[in-house]
Amino acid sequence: MTTSLDLVRELAPYQDQPAQLPAAANGKVGMLRLGFERRGDRTILRDLYRQSPLLVQRALYWDEEMPGLPCVMILTTSGGVLQGDRLSMDVDLGPEAQAHLVTQAATKIQEMDANYGTQQQNITLADDAYLEFLPEPVIPFRRSRFVSHTRVRLPTSATLLYAEVLQPGRKYYRDGELFAYDLFSSQLRAERPDGRGLFVEKFVISPGQFPVDRIAMMDRFHVFGNVMLLTDTDRAARVYERTATPVWDEQTPLASAVSRLPNDAGLVFKVLGQETEPVRAAVRAFCTAAREEVVGCTFPPAFSWR
């Protein structure tokens, strides 16, 4: 089975087949379909289809600030993304529906000796829908290759809060794996329901070909956070006013800034750090400002595992 992602240019050097199990074989094509619908004062998970290694069990209502918000955890039965995996997910929110998506743990892109892993995500929001898609960080292991394409379709009245946190690898594993992966590529494309394009953001990281630990790229930073807030201009302006001052913290160290997206699509917030937790804290602070301005509720306190 060949998909459009198999044809992207950066994957051309990695078309060899795994010796253990061919790419896209049974057990390596993970699929999720999640459909949310507003019912009274809450949103329900109306439609659910799952195919291993991707898994969702049920929607839970654990957010005390938004008790009608279904919180859905995306699980994996394989311990991460393996060579030859082809993952896809469709998320659909009906009018005025709200949902919060997370992952069970960090997404681990396992070490590879052939081929690659891909992920295709399609997110569709109806009028006045609100979606928070805030997965745990991605950790690309040594020699891993991974490509992700996300397509978002939403009207002006809807809001998507979408975050990525990319780690440099298993930083403290043995002698460390700082930027030892072969390829990490991520693209997000946004458009209106009539097909009018808003913007495309894509970054391709191949440390072996183009080192990233240099000025104008990562420099001395290791962790990259990227948050998209797609919403109407008034909400975006309020969030921008709260977060417009760039941060350059030499002590942590940490750097962050917010920018406006083209075509009045919303905002993009980017943050760099040497460790994961300060980056996650900055991402959470931005997401808190976004939720407060869009729906008038805040995030509950972060759960402490200690």
Side-chain angles (χ1 to χ4, degrees), residues 203-226:
F203 51 89
V204 178
I205 310 171
S206 50
Q209 293 180 287
F210 306 100
V212 297
D213 54 347
R214 51 181 171 164
I215 295 175
M217 296 190 70
M218 294 296 286
D219 194 19
R220 60 196 172 107
F221 296 108
H222 297 156
V223 183
F224 172 53
N226 194 42

Side-chain angles (χ1 to χ4, degrees), residues 165 254 269 271 275-288:
V165 175
L254 190 80
F269 175 74
V271 54
E275 301 295 338
T276 304
E277 287 310 310
V279 172
R280 293 182 63 179
V283 167
R284 181 180 176 84
F286 178 83
C287 291
T288 298

Side-chain angles (χ1 to χ4, degrees), residues 7 13 29 34 40 53 57 72 88 112 124 155 157 176-177 212 214 234 236 273 281 284 294 303:
L7 304 177
V29 180
L34 306 174
Q57 295 176 319
V72 173
S88 66
M112 301 177 180
T124 305
S157 63
E177 287 185 0
V212 297
R214 51 181 171 164
D234 290 341
R284 181 180 176 84
V294 173
F303 182 79

Side-chain angles (χ1 to χ4, degrees), residues 40-298:
D41 60 354
R42 65 160 52 183
T43 297
I44 64 165
L45 179 57
R46 173 187 54 81
D47 180 36
L48 170 60
Y49 174 81
R50 59 216 171 185
Q51 179 174 300
S52 181
L54 295 179
L55 175 66
V56 160
Q57 295 176 319
R58 58 178 297 182
L60 302 174
Y61 296 83
W62 67 54
D63 194 317
E64 296 179 354
E65 298 293 333
M66 297 180 67
L69 180 75
C71 302
V72 173
M73 181 172 289
I74 301 169
L75 313 174
T76 176
T77 60
S78 62
V81 178
L82 309 178
Q83 58 191 26
D85 278 1
R86 303 292 186 264
L87 310 178
S88 66
M89 180 167 61
D90 293 325
V91 180
D92 181 41
L93 271 69
E96 300 184 5
Q98 299 178 329
H100 177 87
L101 300 183
V102 294
T103 52
Q104 71 184 95
T107 298
K108 303 171 184 66
I109 315 299
Q110 300 286 344
E111 187 170 346
M112 301 177 180
D113 56 28
N115 211 252
Y116 47 85
T118 67
Q119 172 182 265
Q120 180 78 52
Q121 301 180 134
N122 293 298
I123 301 172
T124 305
L125 277 63
D127 291 334
D128 299 307
Y130 175 77
L131 174 63
E132 298 170 347
F133 193 174
L134 308 177
E136 293 296 309
V138 176
I139 308 175
F141 288 16
R142 187 188 307 271
R143 296 192 61 197
S144 63
R145 307 92 180 246
F146 182 67
V147 171
S148 174
H149 279 195
T150 300
R151 180 184 179 187
V152 180
R153 177 170 286 192
L154 78 170
T156 305
S157 63
T159 296
L160 171 66
L161 186 58
Y162 180 88
E164 294 177 296
V165 175
L166 177 64
Q167 294 187 352
R170 293 177 290 183
K171 183 174 179 178
Y172 298 106
Y173 175 73
R174 295 182 178 173
D175 57 348
E177 287 185 0
L178 286 177
F179 305 112
Y181 53 90
D182 290 340
L183 173 69
F184 184 89
S185 173
S186 179
Q187 173 183 292
L188 188 145
R189 177 184 299 272
E191 60 189 37
R192 294 299 182 208
D194 61 3
R196 179 170 61 92
L198 296 175
F199 69 90
V200 178
E201 183 188 63
K202 179 174 182 177
F203 51 89
V204 178
I205 310 171
S206 50
Q209 293 180 287
F210 306 100
V212 297
D213 54 347
R214 51 181 171 164
I215 295 175
M217 296 190 70
M218 294 296 286
D219 194 19
R220 60 196 172 107
F221 296 108
H222 297 156
V223 183
F224 172 53
N226 194 42
V227 187
M228 296 287 180
L229 172 62
L230 309 186
T231 193
D232 69 28
T233 53
D234 290 341
R235 296 163 178 162
R238 295 197 298 270
V239 177
Y240 185 86
E241 287 301 315
R242 292 180 57 171
T243 57
T245 303
V247 172
W248 184 269
D249 180 355
E250 283 285 353
Q251 185 174 0
T252 301
L254 190 80
S256 67
V258 64
S259 299
R260 293 183 176 91
L261 288 167
N263 298 308
D264 294 325
L267 304 174
V268 58
F269 175 74
K270 297 184 184 294
V271 54
L272 297 173
Q274 284 192 344
E275 301 295 338
T276 304
E277 287 310 310
V279 172
R280 293 182 63 179
V283 167
R284 181 180 176 84
F286 178 83
C287 291
T288 298
R291 181 194 269 202
E292 289 175 351
E293 296 299 336
V294 173
V295 298
C297 301
T298 191

